[in-house]
Amino acid sequence: MRKVSFYTIGCKLNFAETSTISEEFKKRGFEIVEFGEPVDVCVINTCSVTENADRDCRRVVRKALKISPNAFIIVTGCYAQLRPDEIAQIEGVDLILGSNEKFKIFDYVNDFQKNYHAQIFVSPISEISEFHIASSTPASDRTRAFLKVQDGCDYNCSYCTIPLARGESRSPEINIILEKAKTLAQLGYKEIVLSGVNVGDYGRKIGTNLFELVKELEKIDGIERIRISSIEPNLLTEDMIDYFIASEKICNHFHIPLQSGSDEILRKMRRRYNSELYRRRVEYIKSKDTDACIGADVIVGFPGESEKHFETTYNFINDLPISYLHVFTYSERPNTDAINLPGKVPIEERHRRSEMLRNLGLKKKMVFYRQMIGKKFDVLWESEVKDGKMFGFTRNYVKVGIPYDQSLVNKIVPVKIVGVENLAAIGEIIVDRSQSEVEMK
Ligand code: SF4
């Protein structure tokens, strides 16, 4: 039996898509093995957002060929769509497939005989209109599955290459997603994370929306939790917030990209909101549910970001009840408008600002976790063991640890939070569930 391995760089969406591509190989009789084992074929799914896409891709190709010098190497994903010629320079690559082609590998190759020169099949981005449903379903742990419900983006943020690599915003009909979610429930997954490039834009072009989708997903037996990976602040309405918070299944966890707390920088980024709208959203969520978790993405070192702009961002975040941060250091991307903006921030300064915000993010996370001490939550337990402990997440995305007990894996079991240690909350299992459910959050 021929063997294939996969290597994924980048976001959850890429992982979900790799999983779908691997299913196709399985159907064709391939054995899927871990990356690093000897193989006949290796598929590398790349990302354009990472700062060193070229270096990362080169490193992975070399590693694959070191173990299997005759392996047929396929490179696909966002970086392949944007820079196929760069990838073709990497020694040992046989096939480069763009965003339209990545789900049709067998249309382009069947015998997997090494070429010793790279063949490129990349459609222009304007021709990309298909949607491929995908989900990442780690076999080791049937707790959480990432379900792709949307792809591409019509926003035109000045720093972003994603629309150039993934094309225009598109999404499938609700029933297609429901079918996939039912399959995940049958496989034992209890939580689904709705993923996409711009999830809040789900359904806009097909006469529906994210709100309608989650209402249908809630009806699926076996799916106990629905988490929304991320939603733009301008797309998150108060009606949605009310509904999500009242729902038994939708997690009270809102990941809302901020990018900057300065309106001047937000305008240069071409974001579709200002800091006031963001503040209102956060305060509204907290006014409805003090335990709700709110995460934010921030970019530091955007062209023209002065020390004063940065301070504005820092203070804006510091003052708001945000629970954690994902901090990104701005880096120049070819073919974006931001690359031509004046006011380049020196690299060391970008790193200093990034470090400051990372520290702030950690501080806010610990404050949020400590606010949960003494409260009771349901936790979905995962299989990973570290130092004799197992971990799981509450609906409001608090990571909780308890001594390892295999019988709890993939079960939702209530705990009381009794402390915080090593960036996780310490839980105590509540033995009498019937009593605890009365007060459960
Ligand atoms: S919303 Fe902006 S940053 Fe996000 S994917 Fe679309 S263009 Fe990129």
Side-chain angles (χ1 to χ4, degrees):
M1 191 187 269
R2 286 188 293 182
K3 292 182 179 177
V4 58
S5 69
F6 297 86
Y7 193 97
T8 309
I9 305 169
C11 62
K12 295 284 187 264
L13 209 54
N14 262 12
F15 280 88
E17 291 178 344
T18 301
S19 195
T20 300
I21 297 169
S22 76
E23 287 302 318
E24 194 55 39
F25 273 89
K26 219 190 269 175
K27 272 192 222 152
R28 310 268 182 153
F30 275 79
E31 183 187 349
I32 318 276
V33 299
E34 290 288 320
F35 180 81
E37 289 185 28
V39 285
D40 302 287
V41 181
C42 179
V43 181
I44 303 164
N45 194 3
T46 61
C47 173
S48 65
V49 174
T50 56
E51 207 168 327
N52 298 302
D54 178 43
R55 201 188 61 191
D56 292 346
C57 187
R58 218 169 264 278
R59 180 179 52 80
V60 179
V61 170
R62 265 201 214 115
K63 199 169 169 192
L65 289 172
K66 198 170 167 201
I67 299 149
S68 313
N70 297 318
F72 189 91
I73 306 287
I74 303 170
V75 180
T76 186
C78 293
Y79 179 50
Q81 175 69 36
L82 290 174
R83 301 252 166 274
D85 296 329
E86 269 178 34
I87 298 170
Q89 304 300 317
I90 304 175
E91 205 178 317
V93 173
D94 297 284
L95 183 63
I96 300 164
L97 298 177
S99 299
N100 227 7
E101 293 77 17
K102 67 183 157 195
F103 294 103
K104 302 175 197 156
I105 288 179
F106 289 86
D107 288 1
Y108 296 95
V109 64
N110 236 322
D111 59 357
F112 296 100
Q113 290 305 313
K114 224 166 160 48
N115 294 322
Y116 297 101
H117 72 273
Q119 282 189 291
I120 301 176
F121 297 97
V122 176
S123 309
I125 200 67
S126 55
E127 287 176 16
I128 297 181
S129 56
E130 290 173 22
F131 182 89
H132 294 268
I133 192 95
S135 63
S136 72
T137 49
S140 60
D141 191 340
R142 299 211 156 160
T143 51
R144 246 188 306 170
F146 292 83
L147 176 56
K148 175 182 156 192
V149 300
Q150 186 275 342
D151 201 350
C153 187
D154 293 345
Y155 287 18
N156 189 17
C157 302
S158 61
Y159 53 86
C160 185
T161 53
I162 294 175
L164 306 174
R166 285 189 168 269
E168 60 176 29
S169 180
R170 57 206 186 273
S171 33
E173 299 288 343
I174 288 182
N175 61 337
I176 294 172
I177 297 172
L178 294 182
E179 281 313 305
K180 190 80 183 169
K182 281 179 196 159
T183 308
L184 292 171
Q186 280 157 11
L187 287 169
Y189 290 92
K190 293 200 165 50
E191 177 174 320
I192 51 171
V193 184
L194 304 185
S195 308
V197 172
N198 188 346
V199 177
D201 198 39
Y202 170 78
R204 180 172 52 88
K205 294 176 181 170
I206 51 170
T208 183
N209 55 48
L210 184 65
F211 208 172
E212 297 305 319
L213 172 64
V214 289
K215 284 183 195 161
E216 291 304 316
L217 284 167
E218 277 184 302
K219 296 177 191 161
I220 297 177
D221 285 339
I223 298 293
E224 309 274 347
R225 287 180 175 180
I226 300 162
R227 204 177 287 279
I228 294 160
S229 60
S230 171
I231 184 162
E232 291 288 310
N234 50 304
L235 296 174
L236 179 63
T237 63
E238 292 189 353
D239 284 353
M240 280 163 109
I241 295 170
D242 289 343
Y243 186 85
F244 292 178
I245 282 175
S247 163
E248 295 273 305
K249 289 193 175 180
I250 304 168
C251 294
N252 50 346
H253 169 200
F254 300 82
H255 188 94
I256 317 172
L258 167 66
Q259 312 307 16
S260 173
S262 152
D263 288 335
E264 201 184 322
I265 298 296
L266 284 174
R267 272 195 301 276
K268 286 185 180 172
M269 289 177 163
R270 289 204 298 262
R271 302 290 290 164
R272 299 194 176 194
Y273 52 88
N274 59 18
S275 59
E276 186 46 35
L277 182 135
Y278 194 93
R279 182 194 301 280
R280 281 207 311 274
R281 291 289 182 271
V282 169
E283 287 174 350
Y284 188 77
I285 292 169
K286 283 294 192 181
S287 74
K288 296 285 168 174
D289 180 358
T290 50
D291 287 344
C293 175
I294 302 171
D297 296 330
V298 205
I299 297 172
V300 292
F302 188 79
E305 185 192 66
S306 64
E307 183 61 31
K308 197 152 187 311
H309 292 128
F310 175 68
E311 257 176 46
T312 304
T313 297
Y314 188 97
N315 293 334
F316 182 77
I317 295 169
N318 200 22
D319 292 346
L320 275 184
I322 285 174
S323 323
Y324 66 89
L325 291 179
H326 289 168
V327 181
F328 300 88
T329 306
Y330 172 78
S331 65
E332 285 75 8
R333 290 281 178 270
N335 302 322
T336 59
D337 290 339
I339 200 169
N340 298 318
L341 289 175
K344 206 171 169 178
V345 179
I347 300 289
E348 318 77 63
E349 181 57 18
R350 295 184 206 181
H351 290 311
R352 187 188 70 85
R353 292 178 190 176
S354 175
E355 178 80 10
M356 279 180 74
L357 275 189
R358 287 210 166 97
N359 288 338
L360 177 63
L362 273 180
K363 191 181 93 185
K364 292 193 86 74
K365 188 171 177 178
M366 289 305 101
V367 167
F368 176 63
Y369 275 24
R370 283 196 197 98
Q371 285 165 353
M372 302 304 136
I373 293 175
K375 296 183 181 178
K376 294 165 186 165
F377 297 93
D378 276 342
V379 175
L380 174 56
W381 297 103
E382 298 179 4
S383 62
E384 201 185 314
V385 193
K386 199 174 165 214
D387 301 330
K389 280 186 158 188
M390 68 193 301
F391 297 89
F393 284 88
T394 61
R395 284 176 67 236
N396 63 341
Y397 210 52
V398 174
K399 184 177 184 182
V400 186
I402 53 165
Y404 184 69
D405 176 350
Q406 200 190 352
S407 69
L408 296 181
V409 173
N410 201 19
K411 296 216 167 64
I412 295 181
V413 175
V415 295
K416 182 176 173 185
I417 306 291
V418 294
V420 178
E421 193 181 76
N422 294 333
L423 304 181
I426 307 167
E428 246 177 39
I429 295 284
I430 297 167
V431 181
D432 187 348
R433 192 177 160 91
S434 59
Q435 268 186 17
S436 66
E437 270 175 350
V438 178
E439 343 159 42
M440 193 65 53
K441 287 280 177 182

